[in-house]
């Protein structure tokens, strides 16, 4: 050893015990290192006072206590052994994260320490532990936050896409082994883009937070909720396959999410569409079930938004055909497949038609007539919206030129068309070409146009006012409904939102008060009021008492073809007496179709003539007595037990043992379906249900191989009479 090294060693050994203790004390107080010791029973015999100060508990309350009760594991995954177990093994350990079992209010966040320890022996006899500790609180919570951000959406606090995918995959894998069901909902917000684009991303973020909060409060059963990004959410509900309950949950979500939101930037109203799929009925693994829920969501949005839809196998073809329709929209305009229908707008006091509102329809060469509601959903968001809107204005002006001068034509203006540079020129050219006075063209403009550039909007409105066309603020009461719009824009009329009108019928005074206020406001501003979607005479009378000037809806007439409108407008004024017998034409698939009914293990093919929640009318079997029980196979695993309550030759009226429920698209479905697990137990591979009948399903256990004997005879086919 060198002389310098020898001098250094002598200097170090020259430190007294007091100096060494002082150095250890300084080390403890610095927080860089703490010390602890326990006896052979595991009770604390020594603990650095800095640790006691850190957790806010007097040192005297800690000494003598078992180390395993003073500190508990802070391991987030719960994979490490407990502290008492490690101490009991009398083996060295290190890097063990713990937090105090008891801590003061000021340490409510929970200090986290990293402990290390080595057993001490007197000869071979164990005497306790000696160890060190370090404060890793900041490091621990940084890692925890990093892990949280990797699993949860930073904006809403809900599970993120990655975590939802993992949860659904692991849940369905476990449920497959346990033969359990699981529902998945895909949810997309309606009109959210308008809020984000016009009020800014800060408003959009705040809105998403409020949506997440409402979504969490609206579902009262065990579930996992996630935000997948943008305005798309996902819900997983384990152990549920009852479509009645799922439909109620979906409608509650839709109802809660469409209530007005208060943001710093203003008030807004949005909506939601929901697609629902159930495992294993609509898919066995996560990829299949989520895809099925996605298709159902796509269908719900295309069917008018603000509704839910259960998955069914036919949605595959429906989605493909829908995309083809969107792609062929440009061809439809060029080949003149589009046409207009007209809905009368009637003066409430004298029942005279004063205007006709245009509705765009499509006569498709394969699908047949695509009505105004379905066409509107196809057009929404399409790149052809400006071209179609321009065509509609031109066509409406041409038709209206042949009507009496007292009748106007009203055209709904899409936001994209209003914002286009050529819009005002388009209107002017349409009026000139048709030689139609400008005051006979009424343009219905929604509040959404005001979400664009203020200068551009004001300039366009001023140019339209200069042309002399009438302007109506459409859907007033559905969104922001700012009085600033009415002050800035030269509107001639306000059209009250249809949803607000229907709420007035359902909830009486409060909503009727809102309508009275709108009428009074319009009167003060010298504007007319229009109410839409009226079906009942009771609602008509209430709105008339409120002072609404113009009304439209099924109580007067559904949209009619051009030739009908032309005929009605010949001669004297067209008058329509309101009638509550007229109801809105229901949009539903035909019920007249072939189905299977099962009796004593024998399957019969019959014709389903009509279907309601409580029963059905079938045709095709002779001499079926009352009280006969059938299992009605509605397809796709939907079996309903029914009893014959009426019989007349080859026709039977059935009453279901359990009522059908809404399928979310205007139709009906069974609450439950045949379980793929039951079919699997009968020898079929575990797979999503096919669209066929139960007889045709592998594992359906019905056949015509002679094992079952038919009890009823088929009726003879109806004979066609010569004309």
């Amino acid at each position: 050893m060198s002389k310098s090294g020898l001098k250094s060693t002598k200097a170090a050994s020259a430190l007294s015990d007091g100096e060494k203790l002082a150095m250890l004390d300084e080390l403890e107080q610095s927080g860089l290192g703490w010390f602890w010791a326990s006896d052979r029973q595991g009770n604390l015999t020594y603990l650095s006072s800095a640790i006691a100060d850190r957790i806010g508990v007097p040192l005297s309350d800690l000494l003598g206590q078992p180390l395993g009760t003073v500190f508990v594991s802070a391991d987030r995954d719960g994979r490490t052994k407990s502290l008492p177990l490690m101490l009991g093994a009398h083996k060295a350990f290190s890097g063990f994260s713990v937090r105090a079992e008891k801590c003061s209010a000021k340490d409510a966040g929970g200090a986290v320490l990293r402990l290390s320890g080595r057993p001490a022996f007197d000869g071979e006899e164990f005497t306790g532990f000696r160890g060190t500790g370090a404060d890793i609180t900041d490091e621990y919570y940084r890692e925890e936050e990093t892990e949280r951000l990797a699993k949860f959406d930073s904006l809403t606090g809900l599970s993120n896409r990655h975590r939802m995918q993992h949860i659904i995959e692991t849940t369905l894998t476990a449920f497959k082994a346990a033969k359990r069901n699981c529902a998945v909902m895909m949810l997309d917000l309606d009109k959210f883009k308008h809020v984000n684009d016009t009020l800014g991303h800060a408003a959009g973020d705040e809105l998403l937070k409020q949506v997440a909060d409402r979504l969490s409060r609206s579902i009262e059963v065990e579930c996992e909720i996630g935000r997948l990004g943008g305005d798309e959410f996902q819900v997983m509900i384990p152990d549920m396959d009852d479509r009645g309950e799922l439909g109620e949950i979906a409608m509650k979500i839709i109802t809660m999410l469409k209530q007005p939101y208060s943001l710093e930037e203003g008030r807004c109203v949005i909506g939601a569409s929901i697609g629902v799929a159930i495992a294993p009925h609509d898919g066995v693994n996560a990829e299949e079930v989520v895809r099925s829920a996605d298709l159902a969501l796509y269908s719900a949005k295309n069917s008018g938004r603000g509704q839910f839809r259960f998955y069914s196998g036919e949605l595959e073809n429906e989605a493909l055909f829908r995309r083809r329709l969107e792609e062929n929209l440009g061809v439809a305009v060029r080949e003149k497949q589009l046409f207009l229908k007209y809905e009368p707008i009637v003066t409430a006091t004298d029942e005279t038609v004063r205007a006709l509102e245009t509705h765009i329809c499509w006569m498709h060469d394969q699908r047949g007539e695509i009505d105004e509601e379905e066409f509107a959903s196809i057009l929404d968001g399409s790149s052809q919206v400006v071209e179609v809107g321009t065509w509609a204005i031109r066509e409406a002006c041409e038709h209206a030129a042949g009507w009496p001068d007292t009748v106007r034509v009203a055209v709904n203006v899409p936001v994209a068309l209003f914002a286009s540079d050529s819009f005002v020129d388009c209107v002017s050219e349409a009026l000139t070409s048709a030689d139609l006075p400008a005051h006979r063209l009424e343009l219905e403009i929604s509040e959404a146009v005001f979400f664009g550039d203020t200068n551009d909007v004001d300039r366009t409105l001023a140019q339209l006012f200069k042309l002399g066309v009438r302007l109506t603020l459409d859907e007033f009461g559905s969104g922001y409904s700012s009085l600033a719009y009415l002050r800035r824009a030269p509107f001639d009329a306000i059209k009250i939102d249809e949803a607000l009108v229907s709420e007035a019928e359902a909830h009486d005074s409060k909503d009727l008060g809102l309508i009275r206020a709108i009428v009074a406001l319009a009167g003060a501003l010298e504007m007319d009021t229009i109410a839409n979607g009226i079906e009942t005479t009771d609602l008509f009378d209430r709105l008339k008492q409120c002072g609404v000037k113009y009304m439209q809806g099924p109580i007067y007439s559904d949209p009619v073809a051009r030739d009908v409108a032309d005929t009605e407008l010949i001669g004297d004024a067209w008058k329509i007496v309101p009638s509550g017998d007229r109801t809105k034409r229901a949009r539903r698939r035909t019920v007249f179709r072939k189905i299977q009914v099962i009796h004593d293990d024998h399957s019969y093919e019959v014709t389903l003539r009509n279907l309601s929640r409580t029963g059905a009318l079938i045709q095709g079997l002779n001499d079926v007595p009352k009280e006969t029980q059938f299992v009605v196979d509605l397809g796709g695993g939907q079996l309903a037990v029914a009893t014959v309550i009426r019989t007349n030759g080859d026709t039977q009226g059935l009453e279901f043992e359990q009522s059908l429920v809404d399928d979310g698209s205007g139709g009906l479905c069974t609450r439950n379906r045949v379980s793929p697990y039951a079919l699997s137990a009968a020898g079929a591979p575990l797979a999503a249900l096919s669209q066929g009948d139960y007889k045709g399903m592998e594992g359906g256990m019905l056949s015509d191989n002679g094992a079952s004997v038919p009890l009823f005879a088929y009726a003879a086919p109806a004979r066609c009479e010569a004309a």
Side-chain angles (χ1 to χ4, degrees):
M1 180 180 295
S2 66
K3 291 182 179 181
S4 60
L6 183 60
K7 289 179 181 179
S8 176
T9 302
K10 288 180 179 180
S13 62
L15 289 175
S16 66
D17 291 342
E19 290 174 319
K20 292 178 181 178
L21 289 174
M23 290 178 64
L24 289 175
D25 187 58
E26 288 179 9
L27 180 63
E28 286 182 313
Q29 294 303 321
S30 71
L32 297 176
W34 296 328
F35 303 97
W36 60 273
S38 69
D39 59 21
R40 67 186 64 191
Q41 284 78 35
N43 299 321
L44 279 172
T45 57
Y46 178 81
L47 186 67
S48 295
S49 60
I51 297 182
D53 292 340
R54 181 66 181 86
I55 63 178
V57 179
L59 182 60
S60 58
D61 291 350
L62 299 174
L63 295 177
Q65 298 297 317
L67 183 66
T69 61
V70 172
F71 298 110
V72 294
S73 173
D75 177 55
R76 283 185 286 267
D77 299 323
R79 292 192 299 263
T80 59
K81 298 178 182 178
S82 68
L83 185 57
L85 191 63
M86 296 179 66
L87 295 173
H90 296 175
K91 291 184 178 180
F93 63 90
S94 63
F96 192 79
S97 300
V98 298
R99 65 173 82 241
E101 177 71 14
K102 298 179 181 179
C103 60
S104 67
K106 70 177 183 179
D107 194 44
V112 181
L113 313 174
R114 179 175 291 141
L115 296 185
S116 298
R118 297 183 63 83
F121 294 91
D122 184 3
E124 295 184 358
E125 183 180 358
F126 171 72
T127 59
F129 269 92
R130 307 289 182 269
T132 61
D135 186 348
I136 61 166
T137 304
D138 292 342
E139 174 189 341
Y140 179 87
Y141 286 115
R142 275 198 305 271
E143 292 177 357
E144 186 173 69
E145 178 65 9
T146 300
E147 289 185 19
R148 190 191 69 79
L149 291 175
K151 297 178 180 178
F152 295 91
D153 176 49
S154 59
L155 181 65
T156 63
L158 300 176
S159 296
N160 61 17
R161 179 183 293 273
H162 177 75
R163 186 169 190 268
M164 284 300 298
Q165 181 181 357
H166 175 73
I167 288 175
I168 293 175
E169 286 178 350
T170 55
T171 299
L172 293 189
T173 299
F175 278 23
K176 178 180 176 182
K179 295 180 171 55
R180 294 164 64 183
N181 304 303
C182 184
V184 172
M185 292 182 173
M186 298 295 293
L187 185 150
D188 195 77
L189 302 182
D190 303 328
K191 301 181 181 178
F192 173 76
K193 188 175 185 298
H194 290 314
V195 179
N196 218 26
D197 290 348
T198 58
L199 297 184
H201 290 286
D205 288 349
E206 176 57 31
L207 178 59
L208 289 172
K209 291 178 185 178
Q210 293 188 30
V211 166
D213 179 63
R214 291 190 189 184
L215 188 55
S216 300
R217 288 187 285 112
S218 64
I219 307 176
E220 298 176 353
V221 297
E222 178 190 352
C223 66
E224 185 70 36
I225 306 174
R227 177 184 173 227
L228 306 187
D231 61 347
E232 191 176 20
F233 295 80
Q234 190 176 57
V235 181
M236 186 194 77
I237 306 177
D239 296 311
M240 184 172 288
D241 68 336
D242 187 321
R243 292 190 287 185
E245 292 183 22
L246 288 168
E248 290 173 2
I249 292 172
M251 277 310 303
K252 185 176 180 182
I253 292 172
I254 290 169
T255 301
M256 287 191 69
L257 295 189
K258 73 178 182 181
Q259 301 306 311
Y261 295 82
S262 294
L263 307 175
E264 186 176 336
E265 293 78 3
R267 177 178 175 270
C268 69
V269 176
I270 59 171
S273 301
I274 299 175
V276 187
I278 305 167
H281 305 74
D282 303 319
V284 176
N285 58 44
E287 182 180 356
E288 292 173 350
V289 177
V290 171
R291 182 174 179 274
S292 296
D294 257 331
L295 279 171
L297 171 62
Y298 180 77
S299 176
K301 291 177 74 69
N302 290 334
S303 299
R305 302 174 185 267
Q307 57 185 274
F308 70 90
R309 184 80 182 265
F310 291 117
Y311 171 79
S312 68
E314 64 190 27
L315 294 185
E316 299 270 1
N317 294 332
E318 196 174 295
L320 289 173
F321 191 73
R322 181 92 183 188
R323 282 194 286 271
R324 291 197 193 101
L325 287 178
E326 292 170 356
E327 292 167 0
N328 294 336
L329 193 52
V331 176
V333 177
R334 291 188 292 275
E335 295 186 358
K336 300 182 179 180
Q337 296 175 1
L338 302 184
F339 63 97
L340 297 179
K341 283 188 174 181
Y342 295 95
E343 182 180 2
I345 299 175
V346 185
T347 306
T349 53
D350 64 8
E351 301 167 354
T352 303
V353 175
R354 292 300 182 191
L356 292 168
E357 181 182 356
T358 60
H359 294 275
I360 307 174
C361 304
W362 184 358
M363 184 56 71
H364 193 270
D365 54 3
Q366 296 176 7
R367 180 78 170 262
E369 182 178 328
I370 298 173
D371 68 19
E372 62 275 8
E373 290 187 36
E374 186 175 2
F375 183 82
S377 68
I378 294 171
L379 185 62
D380 185 27
S382 167
S383 60
Q384 307 294 327
V385 65
V386 172
E387 183 179 3
V388 172
T390 301
W391 170 86
I393 292 174
R394 188 170 58 248
E395 193 82 355
C397 289
E398 181 182 319
H399 294 175
W403 300 343
D405 292 341
T406 55
V407 179
R408 301 184 298 272
V409 64
V411 183
N412 188 277
V413 179
V415 176
L417 175 59
F418 183 91
S420 67
D421 295 335
S422 60
F423 174 53
V424 176
D425 290 338
C426 150
V427 174
S428 178
E429 290 169 7
L431 292 170
T432 302
S433 176
D435 195 22
L436 182 74
H439 71 274
R440 292 187 55 209
L441 174 62
E442 190 164 343
L443 300 177
E444 297 185 352
I445 299 169
S446 72
E447 294 176 337
V449 303
F450 293 97
F451 301 162
D453 183 270
T454 303
N455 294 329
D456 290 343
V457 172
D458 289 345
R459 182 167 52 253
T460 300
L461 290 172
Q463 290 173 338
L464 292 173
F465 178 74
K466 188 175 181 180
L467 275 180
V469 299
R470 283 177 59 90
L471 298 176
T472 295
L473 180 58
D474 198 13
E475 299 178 343
F476 188 80
S478 66
Y480 298 91
S481 304
S482 171
L483 299 184
Y485 304 157
L486 303 179
R487 188 176 68 249
R488 284 167 46 198
F491 287 111
D492 298 281
I494 296 174
K495 177 174 281 191
I496 305 169
D497 182 59
E498 186 174 344
L500 185 59
V501 171
S502 62
E503 287 292 316
E505 181 176 32
H507 299 100
D508 294 339
S509 58
K510 183 178 180 181
D511 295 285
L512 278 174
L514 286 174
I515 290 178
R516 288 192 193 96
I518 293 173
V519 172
L521 174 65
L525 296 173
E526 299 182 348
M527 298 177 186
D528 296 326
T529 47
I530 306 169
N532 185 26
I534 304 162
E535 295 190 44
T536 66
T537 53
D538 183 48
L539 178 59
F540 170 82
D541 291 337
R542 293 182 186 184
L543 294 173
K544 188 175 179 181
Q545 291 171 7
C546 289
V548 177
K549 185 173 182 179
Y550 296 109
M551 300 196 202
Q552 65 183 121
I555 197 168
Y556 290 111
S557 172
D558 279 330
V560 299
R562 177 191 177 183
D563 58 347
V564 174
D566 289 345
T567 301
E568 294 289 352
L569 290 170
I570 293 175
D572 295 334
W574 181 8
K575 290 181 177 287
I576 307 177
V577 178
S579 172
D581 294 334
R582 305 186 187 100
T583 56
K584 189 173 183 179
R585 177 170 46 87
R587 295 180 67 242
R588 60 174 69 232
R589 296 175 183 80
T590 178
V591 181
F592 194 85
R593 60 188 174 92
K594 296 291 186 181
I595 63 168
Q596 300 286 326
V597 295
I598 303 167
H599 181 267
D600 284 347
D601 293 334
H602 189 86
S603 179
Y604 303 86
E605 185 180 79
V606 298
T607 300
L608 179 66
R609 299 299 298 265
N610 62 46
L611 184 69
S612 70
R613 289 178 180 273
T614 57
L617 189 70
I618 61 171
Q619 185 177 31
L621 297 179
N622 274 334
D623 303 322
V624 179
K626 288 184 179 180
E627 304 302 323
T628 300
Q629 275 205 337
F630 285 114
V631 175
V632 181
D633 186 351
L634 297 172
Q638 300 184 95
L639 302 182
V641 178
T643 303
V644 176
I645 58 173
R646 296 187 307 277
T647 184
N648 182 16
D650 65 347
T651 304
Q652 291 81 42
L654 308 180
E655 183 178 65
F656 293 135
E657 187 176 278
Q658 186 179 52
S659 297
L660 303 184
V661 297
D662 290 331
D663 68 356
S665 61
L668 299 168
C669 63
T670 58
R671 281 184 172 271
N672 305 97
R673 289 173 286 174
V674 175
S675 171
Y677 295 130
L679 296 176
S680 177
L686 182 61
L689 294 173
S690 67
Q691 276 305 106
D693 54 50
Y694 180 66
K695 174 184 174 183
M697 289 183 179
E698 189 173 354
M701 297 177 288
L702 288 175
S703 65
D704 288 330
N705 60 6
S708 62
V709 179
L711 183 63
F712 309 114
Y714 284 107
R719 186 181 305 168
C720 295
E721 299 289 341

